[in-house]
C-alpha cells in the first residue's frame, strides 16, 4: 500500500530538459547545492537523475542504440562510473544520495520498464530465485524509442523477484523517488493503451516490500482516463501528456487535460502535467533544439503555466540548469503565496470557458478562495464574472498572488 506518501504534489528538479541522458555526478550535485541554498525553504526537495545513468557513452537526448550498459551480476543496471565516480566500488548511488540527504533534500532516479536486453541475451541470473532474465522477458514487449529493455512477463516465475531485487537495491542506495518510463502512455501503443498494467502492480508490490518509502511516478503520457482508479491505487504521479516543451500549443492543450483529470486529484494521487520548461534548458538536447536556450515561453506564458499547474495541483518538476537561473525565474518558482495554492488548496475545477477566457476556482484550508483567470487569446480581454457564479458567498478581500497587491474588498 502507498499510505502517507506524497501528501502534497512533489516539487523538485529533473535533469532531462537540460541534459537529456548526459547528466553526471557534478551536474546532480551542483543543482542540489543550488536547490538547498535557494529553493528548499519553499518546498523544492527532489533531485531526480533522469534516463540512462547506466550508459557510459550517453551524451544527449539522442540514444545510442544497443550500446553496452553497466549491470551487476543480478541483471540490475548500475551507474556508469565514468559519469558517476562515487559509484565505483559497488556503491551505486549511495554516496550521491547520502550527500543530497545531508542537504535536507531527497533523491530520485529514472528507470525504464522491464529488464535489460543484454541480461536477457546472456540469460543472467535474478536475485532470489532460480529464474534467469531470459525466463521473465517478453521479447515482443519493447519500447519504440529506446533499445535498452525488454518488458517483463508479469506471470512468469521470477518476475516479482526481479522487481523486488531492483527496489531492494534502490532502498540500499537511499532512493526516495522512482520515475518509471514507457509504462502508462497511449501515444506509442494506441492498440494497447494500458498494456503494462500488471507490470505496474509488480512495481507497486516491490516498493511496498523494499523497506523504504518511495514516490512512484509513471511516464510518459497521456495516461488513460478510464484507468484513473488503477493509477491512483498504484502510483503517486502519472503523466497526463507526452513530453511537454516550451510552446504555446502544448500549453493551450493542457487546459483541457487538466479539466478532464481534476476530479482525480487528491492526497498521494497527482495527475502530472510534466516538467516546467523554465530557465536554461536544452543544453544537450539536439533532438529538440540545435542549441541550448532559455525558455521560449514569454513571461506571461510562464505565469499562465505556473498558475495552471498550481491551481490544478500538478507536481512541479523543473528542467532547467538551476545554477543559471536569472532573478525572474527564481522569483516565479519561489512565490510563497502561489506555492500555498499548490500545497494547501482543494476542489479545483474549471467553471467557465469561452473563446478567450478560462476560469478555475478552488478553496484553501484556511477558508480562502482562489480564482484563476486565464486569457487564452492573442489580444487583451476583460473577463466579467460575479462571485455568485463562482459559488462564493460573503465579503472577501481580493489579492493578486503574483504581484502581492491587495485589489480591494468585494461582496
Amino acid at each position: 500500500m502507498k499510505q502517507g506518501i506524497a501528501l502534497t504534489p512533489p516539487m523538485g528538479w529533473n535533469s532531462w530538459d537540460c541534459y537529456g541522458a548526459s547528466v553526471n555526478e557534478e551536474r546532480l550535485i551542483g543543482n542540489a547545492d543550488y536547490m538547498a541554498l535557494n529553493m528548499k525553504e519553499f518546498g523544492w526537495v527532489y533531485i531526480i537523475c533522469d534516463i540512462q545513468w547506466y550508459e557510459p557513452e550517453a551524451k544527449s537526448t539522442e540514444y545510442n542504440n544497443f550500446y553496452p550498459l553497466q549491470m551487476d551480476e543480478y541483471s540490475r543496471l548500475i551507474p556508469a562510473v565514468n559519469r558517476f565516480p562515487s559509484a565505483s566500488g559497488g556503491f551505486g548511488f549511495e554516496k550521491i544520495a547520502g550527500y543530497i540527504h545531508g542537504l535536507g533534500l531527497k533523491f530520485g532516479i529514472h528507470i525504464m520498464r522491464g529488464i535489460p536486453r543484454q541480461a536477457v541475451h546472456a540469460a543472467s541470473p535474478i536475485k532470489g530465485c532460480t529464474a534467469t532474465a531470459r525466463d521473465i522477458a517478453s521479447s515482443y514487449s519493447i519500447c519504440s524509442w529506446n533499445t535498452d529493455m525488454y518488458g517483463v512477463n508479469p506471470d512468469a516465475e521470477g518476475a516479482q523477484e526481479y522487481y523486488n531485487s531492483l527496489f531492494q537495491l534502490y532502498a540500499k542506495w537511499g532512493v526516495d523517488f522512482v520515475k518509471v518510463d514507457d509504462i502508462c502512455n497511449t501515444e506509442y501503443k494506441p492498440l494497447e493503451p494500458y498494456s503494462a498494467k500488471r507490470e505496474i502492480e509488480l512495481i507497486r508490490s516491490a516498493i511496498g516490500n523494499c523497506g523504504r518509502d518511495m514516490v512512484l511516478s509513471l511516464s510518459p503520457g497521456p495516461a488513460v482516463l478510464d484507468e484513473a482508479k488503477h493509477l491512483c491505487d498504484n502510483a503517486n504521479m502519472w503523466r497526463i501528456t507526452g513530453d511537454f516543451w516550451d510552446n504555446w500549443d502544448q500549453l493551450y492543450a493542457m487546459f483541457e487535460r487538466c479539466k478532464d483529470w481534476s476530479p482525480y486529484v487528491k492526497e498521494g494521487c497527482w495527475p502530472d502535467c510534466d516538467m516546467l520548461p523554465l530557465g536554461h534548458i536544452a543544453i544537450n538536447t539536439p533532438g529538440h533544439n540545435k542549441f541550448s536556450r532559455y525558455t521560449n515561453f514569454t513571461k506571461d506564458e510562464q505565469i499562465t503555466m505556473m498558475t495552471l499547474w498550481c491551481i490544478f495541483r500538478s507536481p512541479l518538476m523543473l528542467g532547467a540548469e538551476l545554477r543559471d537561473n536569472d532573478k525572474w525565474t527564481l522569483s516565479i518558482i519561489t512565490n510563497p503565496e502561489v506555492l500555498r495554492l499548490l500545497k494547501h488548496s482543494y476542489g479545483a475545477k474549471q467553471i467557465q470557458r469561452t473563446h478567450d477566457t478560462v476560469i478555475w476556482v478552488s478553496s484553501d484550508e484556511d477558508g480562502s478562495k482562489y480564482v484563476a483567470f486565464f486569457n487564452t487569446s492573442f489580444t487583451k480581454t476583460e473577463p466579467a464574472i460575479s462571485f455568485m457564479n463562482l459559488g462564493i458567498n460573503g465579503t472577501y478581500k481580493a489579492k493578486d498572488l503574483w504581484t502581492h497587491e491587495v485589489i480591494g474588498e468585494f461582496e
Side-chain angles (χ1 to χ4, degrees):
M1 298 295 290
K2 58 181 191 73
Q3 297 174 344
I5 307 299
L7 298 183
T8 59
M11 300 168 60
W13 174 84
N14 178 295
S15 58
W16 174 255
D17 278 6
C18 49
Y19 293 117
S22 69
V23 66
N24 58 30
E25 185 162 341
E26 184 277 331
R27 290 164 174 166
L28 280 181
I29 296 301
N31 280 276
D33 287 338
Y34 179 94
M35 181 178 286
L37 183 63
N38 299 284
M39 299 164 59
K40 181 176 70 172
E41 65 181 291
F42 299 96
W44 298 93
V45 294
Y46 288 98
I47 295 290
I48 314 299
C49 180
D50 210 87
I51 195 168
Q52 283 201 322
W53 36 264
Y54 42 78
E55 210 274 75
E57 302 302 320
K59 292 181 171 60
S60 71
T61 54
E62 294 181 347
Y63 305 114
N64 299 316
N65 293 332
F66 304 107
Y67 267 48
L69 310 177
Q70 296 293 295
M71 189 177 77
D72 73 4
E73 68 272 30
Y74 293 117
S75 308
R76 301 177 298 189
L77 296 172
I78 55 177
V81 296
N82 63 317
R83 294 168 54 197
F84 303 94
S86 69
S88 62
F91 283 100
F93 278 123
E94 193 170 345
K95 292 183 178 180
I96 290 177
Y99 181 86
I100 290 172
H101 292 155
L103 297 174
L105 305 176
K106 296 183 178 183
F107 175 64
I109 58 173
H110 170 291
I111 65 171
M112 294 293 293
R113 169 182 67 90
I115 190 162
R117 292 191 189 193
Q118 68 187 43
V120 175
H121 298 161
S124 298
I126 294 170
K127 189 174 184 179
C129 66
T130 58
T132 70
R134 189 174 297 169
D135 297 324
I136 71 167
S138 293
S139 59
Y140 61 86
S141 178
I142 59 174
C143 176
S144 62
W145 42 269
N146 178 276
T147 60
D148 295 343
M149 315 293 274
Y150 288 122
V152 165
N153 174 5
D155 299 315
E157 182 179 350
Q160 185 65 69
E161 286 80 2
Y162 166 69
Y163 272 116
N164 288 348
S165 73
L166 272 189
F167 282 88
Q168 287 163 6
L169 179 65
Y170 302 157
K172 180 176 179 291
W173 287 347
V175 171
D176 306 296
F177 182 113
V178 179
K179 173 184 173 183
V180 185
D181 215 338
D182 189 40
I183 204 163
C184 82
N185 75 324
T186 59
E187 273 186 337
Y188 304 106
K189 301 182 180 71
L191 300 180
E192 304 175 83
Y194 200 51
S195 58
K197 188 172 185 176
R198 287 276 289 110
E199 204 162 350
I200 291 170
E201 293 169 3
L202 296 183
I203 292 168
R204 168 47 54 198
S205 177
I207 293 175
N209 290 291
C210 76
R212 185 177 181 84
D213 290 340
M214 296 183 195
V215 174
L216 175 59
S217 170
L218 304 181
S219 286
V224 181
L225 193 63
D226 289 344
E227 295 290 352
K229 183 180 185 306
H230 187 266
L231 288 161
C232 193
D233 287 345
N234 289 278
N236 302 106
M237 298 166 45
W238 55 90
R239 285 263 299 279
I240 63 173
T241 178
D243 284 3
F244 180 83
W245 285 94
D246 46 336
N247 68 78
W248 171 251
D249 287 345
Q250 284 189 302
L251 179 52
Y252 183 76
M254 199 64 71
F255 285 96
E256 191 68 19
R257 296 186 189 278
C258 290
K259 178 181 73 69
D260 290 344
W261 280 99
S262 59
Y264 305 101
V265 174
K266 61 181 180 180
E267 283 189 352
C269 300
W270 308 111
D272 179 11
C273 295
D274 198 20
M275 293 165 58
L276 296 163
L278 296 169
H280 190 191
I281 58 175
I283 295 171
N284 283 338
T285 56
H288 294 281
N289 194 298
K290 190 174 181 180
F291 304 104
S292 74
R293 67 182 188 276
Y294 280 77
T295 182
N296 287 324
F297 279 140
T298 66
K299 288 185 176 181
D300 284 340
E301 288 168 339
Q302 292 174 52
I303 292 293
T304 295
M305 177 176 62
M306 283 292 294
T307 304
L308 180 60
W309 266 236
C310 286
I311 197 165
F312 173 66
R313 304 192 76 194
S314 170
L316 301 185
M317 289 290 160
L318 289 161
E321 169 49 75
L322 298 179
R323 293 170 291 184
D324 294 339
N325 279 350
D326 57 17
K327 185 177 179 180
W328 161 263
T329 303
L330 183 60
S331 72
I332 66 169
I333 62 177
T334 58
N335 182 315
E337 293 182 301
V338 174
L339 294 178
R340 180 176 177 88
L341 165 62
L342 177 80
K343 298 172 191 174
H344 298 286
S345 64
Y346 64 92
K349 60 183 178 180
Q350 176 186 297
I351 61 153
Q352 181 174 313
R353 184 163 188 174
T354 68
H355 71 285
D356 63 2
T357 303
V358 179
I359 301 176
W360 280 65
V361 298
S362 67
S363 302
D364 192 288
E365 297 165 348
D366 68 3
S368 301
K369 301 290 184 181
Y370 295 103
V371 185
F373 293 89
F374 300 98
N375 176 7
T376 56
S377 73
F378 292 94
T379 58
K380 289 184 177 181
T381 186
E382 294 288 343
I385 192 164
S386 71
F387 276 14
M388 185 179 298
N389 291 339
L390 297 174
I392 297 174
N393 298 310
T395 301
Y396 284 84
K397 180 172 66 177
K399 185 176 186 180
D400 183 332
L401 301 189
W402 283 111
T403 65
H404 310 295
E405 176 189 2
V406 175
I407 301 168
E409 195 170 90
F410 301 89
E411 291 185 355

